[in-house]
Amino acid sequence: MDRTTTRPHGRRWLGGALALAVGSGLVLVGGAGTAQAADVNVAKNAGFENGLANWSCSAGSGAAVSSPVRTGAGALRATPAGLDNAKCVQTVAVKPNSTYTLSAWVQSGYAYLGANNTGTGSGSVSTWTPDSASWKQLTTTFTTGASTTSVEIYTHGWYGTSPYSVDDVSVFGPDGGGGQDPDPVVPSTPAGLAAGTVTSSSVDLSWGAVSGATGYKVYRDGGNPQTVTGTSATISGLSADTAYQFQVAATNSAGESAKSGAVSARTAKVTDPGPGPAVPKHALTGYWQNFNNGATVQKLRDVQAQYDIIAVSFADSTTTAGQIVFNLDPAVGYASVADFKADIAAKKAAGKSVIISVGGEKGNVTINSDASATAFANSAYALMQEYGFNGVDIDLEHGINSTYLTKALRQLSAKAGSSLVLTMAPQTIDMQNTGTEYFKTALAVKDILTVVNMQYYNSGSMLGCDGKVYSQGSVDFLTALACIQIQGGLAPSQVGLGVPASTRGAGSGYVDPQIVKNALDCLTKLTSCGTFKPAQAWPTLRGAMTWSTNWDATAGNAWSNAVGPHVHNLP
């Protein structure tokens, strides 16, 4: 799902450009084969200890993170999305007629390292590597032209692939007049630590920035340090109705400051949202937009009554890996958060399930460790308690780790109980076979999974369960790809058909509501099929989903008025 009008996903190409990464350390340069005394690393903020200072990343695709890092307290994490390859650049001062060694350390997704405007040859050099589970050094060299005094160095990933990480960049050679970064000194102690919003399981903290700090450690009751890069943090996983003391220290590669004075905060008492209504045998799911992208702006109370599951889009990530929060967008027009919560309660009272969706085209929630899995489960359950959400929707589109996402969802299930509503919205490429991380996750949590509403749009042609290629927008595309999920191990009741509510709801893949109804009948009754006909009927098929209730409303609720009654009248 996306926050723009269209979502240019398509197939995830595996060839082409990758992210730049450069490693630090003494490197031999020059024809004599020895390092000259004046040679320095002319890259600034080469270890991203000062956030993204001196760097510029396309379309806001890059962020300085505290994990994973190779050395120090910071690294670059850049996420390709749509038509953006997450390119991050820096212009460095160089000396004419000189040789430089460019290097960096990279991890995770496809990564390119390169330099432009060198003034010799083609003017550009580059190197790359495919996915790397551990830190890997990329290295290349370039020689500057007779009048070249600056060169652009860059990193980037590749369209539709996983985020990539970069640390310890080096452009080693003669000083071009810009010098090099000075050695850091231990930062001073942060001031102004204050507690803000509390829930039954979390406390918001903020403090003043410290010059020279590249990160901060937040201490709870003198221990349990949590590392963050900004001047605020949400400390989650706390017990309800319990007093805690917090302190903060500033860090950089030189060391850690003394801890600040302690502040006290008490978590709220638990407000149990109750089990909520049961999801109908055949259900209609709609995504509600917590933003304004040109579609009709709705409050939850305005969502068409045909929808049985309403997925609030989207939760936001924090600087803590795996942790999510929800920020009500003022553009939606609610006078207060309390009014929003009242609308959730009213929908639940009307028999609807309201869940929080995690991800979307621009949503980056990283769950790749035991700590991040726990952070996700704790924060998701805290949102369920605070707002009354019945569960979560997993709509992660930038790569998932099935091992740790499974752990996170099982922890959440243990907290929420059997009434948890758990949905997923993978792209078509994510469910082509049982070896994909999304499919593996769905099967691993099959006993607690409500429905997988695969997105049959922004896709291009795909293989059906009969091995034939089908084009999106047809009855065959819907039925033959649904067949893969059922033959792969999902129960028919865990399969739904996800389509756009209007031609403006997606970049491609819109289908007329009649085609959706025909596909539902083909799968459940073996009638109204196209050229593909399943070997058997699956009358317990769950139903259909659309992006979004807002685009549906923009088109006069034509989609839900047509598809909703049909879903509810299935066998």
Side-chain angles (χ1 to χ4, degrees):
M1 309 308 169
D2 71 343
R3 304 180 188 220
T4 58
T5 301
T6 61
R7 303 170 58 249
H9 284 295
R11 296 187 184 223
R12 298 188 176 185
W13 298 100
L14 297 181
L18 297 194
L20 154 68
V22 204
S24 61
L26 182 63
V27 181
L28 298 180
V29 299
T34 58
Q36 303 174 24
D39 286 353
V40 298
N41 181 9
V42 299
K44 300 291 187 177
N45 189 26
F48 302 94
E49 306 300 316
N50 293 312
L52 292 182
N54 303 103
W55 294 91
S56 175
C57 296
S58 60
S61 57
V65 297
S66 58
S67 178
V69 299
R70 178 177 175 268
T71 62
L76 170 69
R77 184 75 166 172
T79 304
L83 300 179
D84 178 65
N85 63 0
K87 185 175 183 179
C88 297
V89 303
Q90 179 181 151
T91 299
V92 298
V94 295
K95 190 174 181 179
N97 295 320
S98 301
T99 298
Y100 291 83
T101 296
L102 171 65
S103 69
W105 290 82
V106 298
Q107 188 184 48
S108 299
Y110 278 70
Y112 255 105
L113 156 68
N116 291 324
N117 308 319
T118 65
T120 59
S122 66
S124 300
V125 298
S126 65
T127 183
W128 67 274
T129 182
D131 295 12
S132 176
S134 58
W135 287 103
K136 179 179 180 180
Q137 189 177 33
L138 291 177
T139 302
T140 187
T141 61
F142 63 86
T143 300
T144 56
S147 60
T148 302
T149 57
S150 66
V151 169
E152 179 190 79
I153 62 171
Y154 66 85
T155 71
H156 67 73
W158 190 242
Y159 312 99
T161 60
S162 302
Y164 68 91
S165 297
V166 180
D167 204 356
D168 299 328
V169 179
S170 175
V171 187
F172 199 78
D175 185 356
Q180 62 181 334
D181 288 339
D183 292 333
V185 296
V186 176
S188 58
T189 302
L193 177 62
T197 302
V198 300
T199 70
S200 60
S201 62
S202 66
V203 174
D204 288 345
L205 300 171
S206 61
W207 56 89
V210 175
S211 177
T214 57
Y216 300 89
K217 287 187 177 180
V218 181
Y219 290 86
R220 186 185 77 211
D221 294 335
N224 306 297
Q226 176 176 315
T227 301
V228 298
T229 55
T231 56
S232 64
T234 299
I235 310 302
S236 61
L238 307 179
S239 299
D241 195 22
T242 303
Y244 293 92
Q245 285 198 328
F246 302 96
Q247 294 169 284
V248 62
T251 63
N252 61 20
S253 58
E256 179 178 333
S257 74
K259 297 184 184 72
S260 69
V263 297
S264 298
R266 190 176 193 90
T267 52
K269 295 181 179 180
V270 172
T271 301
D272 188 353
V279 175
K281 176 183 177 181
H282 299 296
L284 197 70
T285 301
Y287 285 80
W288 174 83
Q289 297 178 186
N290 180 42
F291 48 87
N292 181 1
N293 66 344
T296 297
V297 175
Q298 293 181 312
K299 294 184 174 66
L300 278 179
R301 70 192 71 154
D302 302 322
V303 173
Q304 227 266 39
Q306 290 289 341
Y307 292 102
D308 305 292
I309 302 175
I310 303 169
V312 171
S313 311
F314 295 96
D316 296 310
S317 60
T318 73
T319 55
T320 299
Q323 186 181 68
I324 60 172
V325 295
F326 178 72
N327 300 297
L328 186 63
D329 193 330
V332 179
Y334 276 102
S336 67
V337 173
D339 286 347
F340 175 69
K341 293 178 180 178
D343 274 5
I344 293 176
K347 281 294 183 182
K348 290 171 62 178
K352 313 301 180 182
S353 294
V354 183
I355 60 178
I356 181 68
S357 183
V358 181
E361 183 190 17
K362 298 184 178 181
N364 300 309
V365 180
T366 302
I367 306 172
N368 59 3
S369 66
D370 286 325
S372 58
T374 299
F376 176 85
N378 288 340
S379 57
Y381 185 58
L383 292 181
M384 291 177 64
Q385 291 179 304
E386 182 178 356
Y387 289 91
F389 294 127
N390 298 107
V392 296
D393 167 68
I394 304 300
D395 184 22
L396 297 172
E397 300 181 9
H398 301 294
I400 65 174
N401 183 309
S402 60
T403 299
Y404 292 106
L405 181 54
T406 297
K407 288 185 177 182
L409 295 175
R410 291 220 168 270
Q411 290 182 47
L412 176 60
S413 175
K415 292 173 178 290
S418 60
S419 63
L420 175 73
V421 176
L422 172 59
T423 70
M424 295 183 178
Q427 299 170 101
T428 53
I429 191 67
D430 295 320
M431 301 297 284
Q432 280 280 277
N433 62 76
T434 56
T436 66
E437 292 298 293
Y438 236 118
F439 214 141
K440 287 194 291 186
T441 302
L443 294 176
V445 297
K446 180 179 176 180
D447 57 311
I448 59 173
L449 178 63
T450 306
V451 62
V452 175
N453 291 305
M454 190 172 73
Q455 303 174 38
Y456 291 78
Y457 49 97
N458 293 331
S459 165
S461 299
M462 286 285 162
L463 291 172
C465 64
D466 57 354
K468 297 180 179 179
V469 176
Y470 293 100
S471 300
Q472 66 178 359
S474 65
V475 171
D476 290 333
F477 188 75
L478 299 176
T479 55
L481 269 68
C483 172
I484 292 177
Q485 300 172 62
I486 297 171
Q487 290 187 352
L490 293 181
S493 62
Q494 294 173 318
V495 175
L497 308 180
V499 297
S502 72
T503 55
R504 297 176 62 190
S508 64
Y510 172 76
V511 291
D512 186 273
Q514 185 58 50
I515 293 179
V516 181
K517 293 193 291 183
N518 289 346
L520 291 169
D521 287 343
C522 178
L523 292 166
T524 59
K525 297 181 288 188
L526 298 182
T527 62
S528 303
C529 298
T531 59
F532 170 80
K533 188 173 184 178
Q536 67 179 94
W538 295 298
T540 59
L541 191 87
R542 181 65 73 173
M545 170 275 281
T546 196
W547 177 265
S548 62
T549 66
N550 303 74
W551 285 117
D552 187 24
T554 303
N557 291 317
W559 189 87
S560 55
N561 283 333
V563 179
H566 199 81
V567 165
H568 297 138
N569 288 323
L570 289 173

